[in-house]
Amino acid sequence: MAKRQRVGRRSASQAWLITGPLILLAVIWATAIGLGDEQRLGAWIDAVLILGVFVAAEVAVFHFVVRRQGYTITINEIPLTLALFFLPTFMVVLVFTVGAIITQLRRRSSPVKASFNIAKTAAATSLAGLVLLAFPPMEGVGPGTWGILFAAVSTSTLVTLAAVAGVHTLVQGPQAGIEVLRTAGIGLITAAINVVIGLTIVIVLSVTPWGVLLLFALAAVLVLVYRSYAQFLRQHRMLSDLYDLTRAISEAPRGGSLADALLGRVRAMMQAEYATLWLPAQGRHPEVLLSARVDDSGLLDIAPTPVEVRARVREDGGQTVALGARLGGDEALRQALREARVKDVIVTPLRSGRAVVGTLEVVNRMGDLGHFTEGDVRILETIAAHTGVAVENSRLVDRLRYDAYHDGLTTLANRRRITEALEESVAVRAPGEVVAVLLFDIDRLRDVNESLGHAAGDKLLAEVASRLRRHAPAAALVGRVGGDEFVVNLRAESGEAATELAIQLREQIRDPMVFGALTLDVDMAIGVAVHPDHGSDPATLLQRADVAATSAKSMPGGVQLFSAGLESRSVRRLELAGDLRRALDNDELEVYFQPKVLLTDRRLVGVECLARWEHPAHGAVAPEDFVAVAEHTGQLGRLTEAVLKEGLRRCRDWADADRPLSVAVNLSPRTLIDPGFPARVEALLGEYGVAPEQVTFEIKEDSVVGPTDRPMPTLRRLRDLGVRLSVDDFGTGYSSLSYLRRLPVHEVKIDRTFVQGMATDPGDLAIVRAVVALSLQFGLTVVAEGVESELTLELLKEMGCEVGQGFLFSRPLPYERLEAWFGARTESEPTPLGEVRRLRAVT
């Protein structure tokens, strides 16, 4: 925090502009008095007595409160009145000048301040003496004497007032001098009352010297009464100040506001030069060191307390350390105070329970003769108790506020904070820029949690958060808005620029993550939405970024910029949920069949069963759409069972017609973790009378090849039933052939993207060749899907691939058209196991 100094404060050395003339005037006027006063010296005993009264009067300061207004009263005019009456005029100047020197030495004032006060006293007393000499000699103690003494003392008072106003104007500015004159009325009235008291004492002593006994008795009574009043006033004021301080602390419980409300009041209550609040760094909270200093309107980031004293408080388990003339204390610490030029100090701990969370400190009791006492220690400890509670409450409120806007696991901004930031960004978007939302959907987090435990999943999320925070632009806000969803909010030049950034971030985050002996590969889909193109409010932008992320899961690059077509597709899927349920209830879904051909002799060996849905309003619905709807609405089991039943029924029909064909049915990842699915398969096989080896279940590669083993029990039970298992779309997921060694499968189905490109792309050709060779080594059947040309067919045959499927042979066909295709494109060939069909020709 920057230091805040007073505006317009000048050097105290400028006081010499007033002190110098006062010294000169004092010398001139005192010389004039010496020349004009025939009895320059005398009455030495009276002079010593009045000197003692003057020094006592300088020390005595009385405080009174009238109608909640405080007044400070001095009695300097009383000894001056006595001196002017009883002593020679030159002796008066000498006595008061010596008294001023004694007083300043006793107070240990600075040279500038001491010089000014001595010069002021000497000049004021000298001028009062000249006024006294200007009048006729005083005779008796009648009204004439009263007027002469009143005029002389009033002159001294006015000179003192003018000197004080002048020095304040020079050092602190004109406003300070005006303020001195504005508040001088009470002082002048007090001076007049003091003169009256002084004249009364003169009259009493003139009548009889024994009157001094009565005056001493009266003074003693008045002192006792004032001490009782002062103690009551001090207690009342302290309670009032404590109440005001407590209320101010409770109304300003946060950070800098707490220091603003606290330190100025503490400094005034304790009459200290400095009041300091120190809070060490703790967690997210930085160190706080703020001080209020007398005559400074703001707070400073400095503190005169020696660090050894503050350290002692913490070392002693939170005990208050008080050092000073009236407090004693450890000598080593007092030496540190002397080296720091600190008169006295009280450092008391701030506690949260038993822990010390900081200190509250006061340094240097105001006044040259003032010192902290044990009573001040107790008062500061009381204040510190309230302050400690306020600090604890402040940090609790801050923690609650932080928790309300941040994710507990990753410490990133949560959905609420992201939403508010988006609102602010949209409101202040500059021309020529967009507000981009990048939504990261982490893939297979559920598999990690299920196979390795939630601790590993949490580590993965924390590492993703760390990488996002590290690689995202400095001005971006990174947040976590769901279990496996992260958001980066930033400004960009365009939607395309935001998409390019998303691609870069994806590559940087996808690096393998090492947790001890475990290495995890993390993939993700990223959806991008920008304002104003895709929405004007946070909810819409987040929703559309989510839609784009869902679409990105099926994109090769894993990044998708939102478009209206994506949302219409998403909305359409929601609409399809109820229609799909009715379609399953009414058997409105059709099953298409795509032939599978043995490549060596082009013999038909089976068909793949594929679900198709002709919606009455939307027309043909893409399989990926209604399969996704079925998966998210809990209807996937019914859909799979409907396809399997139709496949088994046709398989039975073909067997009964003495032309057996196997059937293949796709299984989703969710079906593979259903422990009841193998039992239902067994029941259906028995119901339709189909041999298990005539049924093949095709499973996506990423469903069985990954960090989790959850599908394994289901796969083993299906294998034990005798059905065949095939890895579908092999090569698009982990692409690790070593996984084939531990999978209970019979067949590998090479993805169409490699098969279609192998005739022109050497890379695809190499991949297909490697998959075929290793699969044959493992004793697995190899099926190539996407066979669309004779060249591709010949290459596959050369490699040893056994079965092919693709448009070269036939598209997926409904049952009636498949039967027609059988008659038109195949010819029967009897075998011992029954009739088989061989393709006549391929065009």
Side-chain angles (χ1 to χ4, degrees):
M1 179 177 180
K3 299 180 182 179
R4 293 175 282 179
Q5 302 291 349
R6 291 172 297 167
V7 177
R9 184 177 178 89
R10 304 168 188 172
S11 173
S13 62
Q14 294 192 30
W16 285 102
L17 296 175
I18 299 294
T19 303
L22 286 176
I23 294 174
L24 180 61
L25 291 174
V27 172
I28 294 173
W29 292 337
T31 302
I33 292 172
L35 295 175
D37 188 4
E38 297 178 358
Q39 188 182 2
R40 298 185 184 89
L41 301 174
W44 286 100
I45 296 177
D46 293 343
V48 172
L49 292 175
I50 292 177
L51 176 61
V53 173
F54 171 75
V55 172
E58 284 287 315
V59 174
V61 178
F62 302 93
H63 303 279
F64 295 93
V65 176
V66 180
R67 294 182 179 179
R68 298 186 178 180
Q69 180 65 42
Y71 299 97
T72 299
I73 296 175
T74 60
I75 57 173
N76 306 36
E77 292 81 8
I78 295 177
L80 181 58
T81 303
L82 297 176
L84 291 173
F85 183 82
F86 288 109
L87 298 178
T89 308
F90 187 79
M91 180 69 79
V92 172
V93 176
L94 181 61
V95 167
F96 274 70
T97 302
V98 172
I101 293 173
I102 294 172
T103 302
Q104 296 307 310
L105 290 175
R106 187 172 182 274
R107 290 177 177 175
R108 298 177 184 176
S109 301
S110 65
V112 174
K113 184 177 180 181
S115 300
F116 169 76
N117 286 326
I118 295 170
K120 175 195 68 176
T121 302
T125 308
S126 299
L127 187 57
L130 286 176
V131 171
L132 183 67
L133 292 177
F135 285 98
M138 293 179 290
E139 296 181 1
V141 290
T145 300
W146 300 351
I148 294 171
L149 291 176
F150 190 86
V153 175
S154 298
T155 300
S156 174
T157 301
L158 293 175
V159 170
T160 300
L161 177 61
V164 171
V167 81
H168 276 268
T169 300
L170 281 175
V171 176
Q172 298 182 356
Q175 189 61 39
I178 294 173
E179 183 65 18
V180 170
L181 296 176
R182 189 183 66 81
T183 58
I186 297 298
L188 295 175
I189 295 173
T190 303
I193 294 173
N194 287 336
V195 174
V196 171
I197 296 173
L199 290 173
T200 303
I201 296 173
V202 167
I203 294 172
V204 171
L205 294 178
S206 298
V207 172
T208 172
W210 292 103
V212 71
L213 299 177
L214 297 177
L215 292 174
F216 277 131
L218 179 60
V221 171
L222 291 176
V223 168
L224 290 175
V225 171
Y226 175 76
R227 290 186 62 181
S228 299
Y229 168 78
Q231 184 177 6
F232 167 78
L233 181 63
R234 189 162 47 249
Q235 292 174 348
H236 178 271
R237 185 176 58 198
M238 187 60 64
L239 290 174
S240 178
D241 289 345
L242 281 174
Y243 172 77
D244 292 340
L245 177 62
T246 304
R247 185 173 64 180
I249 290 174
S250 64
E251 291 175 354
R254 294 181 59 198
S257 298
L258 174 61
D260 290 335
L262 173 73
L263 295 178
R265 290 178 171 84
V266 171
R267 192 208 60 74
M269 287 175 60
M270 302 298 295
Q271 299 178 39
E273 182 181 358
Y274 286 87
T276 300
L277 174 67
W278 176 67
L279 303 174
Q282 182 179 10
R284 295 181 301 100
H285 303 285
E287 181 183 20
V288 174
L289 180 64
L290 294 173
S291 297
R293 185 172 67 182
V294 65
D295 293 336
D296 280 288
S297 58
L299 298 181
L300 310 176
D301 58 356
I302 60 174
T305 308
V307 293
E308 300 94 328
V309 179
R310 193 177 295 133
R312 179 65 62 84
V313 173
R314 304 190 75 181
E315 292 170 0
D316 290 350
Q319 297 297 319
T320 298
V321 174
L323 305 167
R326 298 187 181 180
L327 297 171
D330 183 88
E331 182 57 34
L333 295 181
R334 294 190 67 180
Q335 178 60 32
L337 252 63
R338 286 190 288 269
E339 293 175 357
R341 298 183 180 179
V342 172
K343 180 172 63 173
D344 46 10
V345 63
I346 304 175
V347 180
T348 187
L350 305 178
R351 292 186 176 87
S352 175
R354 294 186 177 182
V356 176
V357 297
T359 59
L360 184 62
E361 309 162 9
V362 288
V363 177
N364 291 347
R365 187 64 173 267
M366 293 296 294
D368 298 318
L369 302 178
H371 296 278
F372 292 127
T373 64
E374 290 294 338
D376 296 317
V377 175
R378 290 191 293 271
I379 292 171
L380 190 63
E381 288 177 338
T382 302
I383 298 172
H386 291 286
T387 306
V389 172
V391 170
E392 184 177 11
N393 291 342
S394 171
R395 291 186 171 177
L396 176 61
V397 170
D398 181 71
R399 180 64 186 176
L400 292 174
R401 185 176 290 106
Y402 181 86
D403 289 345
Y405 287 97
H406 291 81
D407 173 57
L409 174 64
T410 63
T411 70
L412 296 178
N414 61 11
R415 180 178 292 272
R416 177 183 295 180
R417 177 71 187 96
I418 289 291
T419 300
E420 291 187 1
L422 278 173
E423 289 177 350
E424 296 169 0
S425 299
V426 167
V428 296
R429 181 182 67 89
E433 69 175 11
V434 298
V435 177
V437 177
L438 281 56
L439 190 142
F440 295 70
D441 192 336
I442 308 302
D443 209 9
R444 287 191 289 270
L445 175 64
R446 181 176 180 179
D447 293 340
V448 173
N449 287 334
E450 291 173 349
S451 59
L452 304 176
H454 285 276
D458 290 346
K459 288 182 179 179
L460 186 147
L461 290 173
E463 178 62 20
V464 170
S466 175
R467 293 185 180 186
L468 271 177
R469 189 186 285 114
R470 184 166 61 251
H471 295 296
L477 176 63
V478 182
R480 182 185 178 206
V481 295
D484 57 357
E485 292 182 341
F486 294 83
V487 162
V488 174
N489 168 222
L490 73 161
R491 301 177 186 276
E493 296 178 359
S494 63
E496 290 71 22
T499 304
E500 183 62 30
L501 174 64
I503 294 172
Q504 296 173 10
L505 288 175
R506 182 172 184 267
E507 291 305 314
Q508 291 164 332
I509 296 172
R510 289 179 66 200
D511 291 340
M513 298 183 182
V514 180
F515 303 106
L518 181 66
T519 300
L520 296 179
D521 290 321
V522 177
D523 202 356
M524 66 198 65
I526 306 176
V528 181
V530 298
H531 166 77
D533 298 343
H534 304 144
S536 299
D537 61 276
T540 301
L541 289 171
L542 287 170
Q543 180 260 330
R544 290 179 171 173
D546 201 357
V547 169
T550 301
S551 175
K553 293 179 180 179
S554 59
M555 300 290 293
V559 178
Q560 177 67 55
L561 179 66
F562 175 81
S563 64
L566 297 178
E567 185 172 47
S568 61
R569 183 177 179 183
S570 178
V571 173
R572 183 184 177 199
R573 284 186 177 182
L574 290 176
E575 295 174 351
L576 291 177
D579 296 339
L580 178 62
R581 183 177 290 104
R582 287 188 293 272
L584 289 170
D585 291 340
N586 300 328
D587 293 329
E588 295 176 1
L589 268 69
E590 258 190 293
V591 176
Y592 279 40
F593 304 90
Q594 185 173 26
K596 298 170 71 174
V597 178
L598 196 65
L599 299 183
T600 54
D601 56 6
R602 301 192 181 190
R603 180 161 50 89
L604 185 65
V605 294
V607 293
E608 181 179 0
C609 303
L610 301 167
R612 295 292 184 266
W613 183 20
E614 189 73 20
H615 193 278
H618 299 295
V621 181
E624 57 268 23
D625 284 345
F626 68 78
V627 170
V629 169
E631 188 168 7
H632 285 90
T633 57
Q635 302 178 77
L636 186 60
R638 293 185 62 195
L639 177 61
T640 302
E641 191 168 326
V643 175
L644 179 59
K645 284 182 177 180
E646 180 64 14
L648 292 175
R649 185 164 71 89
R650 297 306 178 186
C651 184
R652 179 72 268 165
D653 292 344
W654 292 324
D656 291 343
D658 202 24
R659 44 177 183 171
L661 289 175
S662 64
V663 293
V665 177
N666 290 294
L667 296 184
S668 73
R670 193 178 295 272
T671 303
L672 290 177
I673 60 175
D674 180 4
F677 180 70
R680 290 199 298 275
V681 171
E682 185 177 14
L684 289 174
L685 290 173
E687 179 183 344
Y688 286 95
V690 175
E693 60 270 15
Q694 289 295 96
V695 178
T696 300
F697 287 121
E698 297 184 358
I699 304 108
K700 294 287 186 182
E701 179 190 357
D702 57 6
S703 301
V704 294
V705 181
T708 176
D709 289 332
R710 289 192 66 190
M712 287 301 180
T714 300
L715 292 175
R716 293 191 180 99
R717 290 182 60 190
L718 290 173
R719 183 192 59 185
D720 294 341
L721 286 178
V723 300
R724 292 175 58 81
L725 300 175
S726 175
V727 179
D728 195 12
D729 296 339
F730 191 82
T732 59
Y734 280 69
S735 300
S736 177
L737 297 176
S738 63
Y739 276 99
L740 295 176
R741 298 181 59 187
R742 65 183 184 88
L743 293 176
V745 297
H746 307 84
E747 177 180 291
V748 171
K749 197 170 186 180
I750 306 175
D751 184 66
R752 71 177 67 249
T753 57
F754 300 111
V755 175
Q756 290 171 346
M758 60 184 289
T760 57
D761 188 334
D764 288 344
L765 179 62
I767 291 174
V768 174
R769 192 181 300 278
V771 172
V772 172
L774 192 58
S775 299
L776 293 177
Q777 288 291 325
F778 289 158
L780 302 175
T781 301
V782 182
V783 179
E785 59 178 347
V787 180
E788 298 182 357
S789 69
E790 286 287 348
L791 177 57
T792 301
L793 176 63
E794 292 303 321
L795 289 172
L796 289 170
K797 286 172 60 178
E798 178 190 342
M799 295 176 191
C801 181
E802 300 164 275
V803 181
Q805 171 183 349
F807 291 173
L808 178 65
F809 308 123
S810 173
R811 295 174 180 274
L813 301 171
Y815 178 74
E816 292 76 12
R817 290 184 60 190
L818 179 67
E819 288 295 320
W821 182 84
F822 283 159
R825 299 291 302 278
T826 65
E827 56 186 8
S828 299
E829 179 180 322
T831 68
L833 297 177
E835 180 184 286
V836 298
R837 292 185 173 273
R838 194 185 309 277
L839 293 181
R840 286 196 179 97
V842 178
T843 60

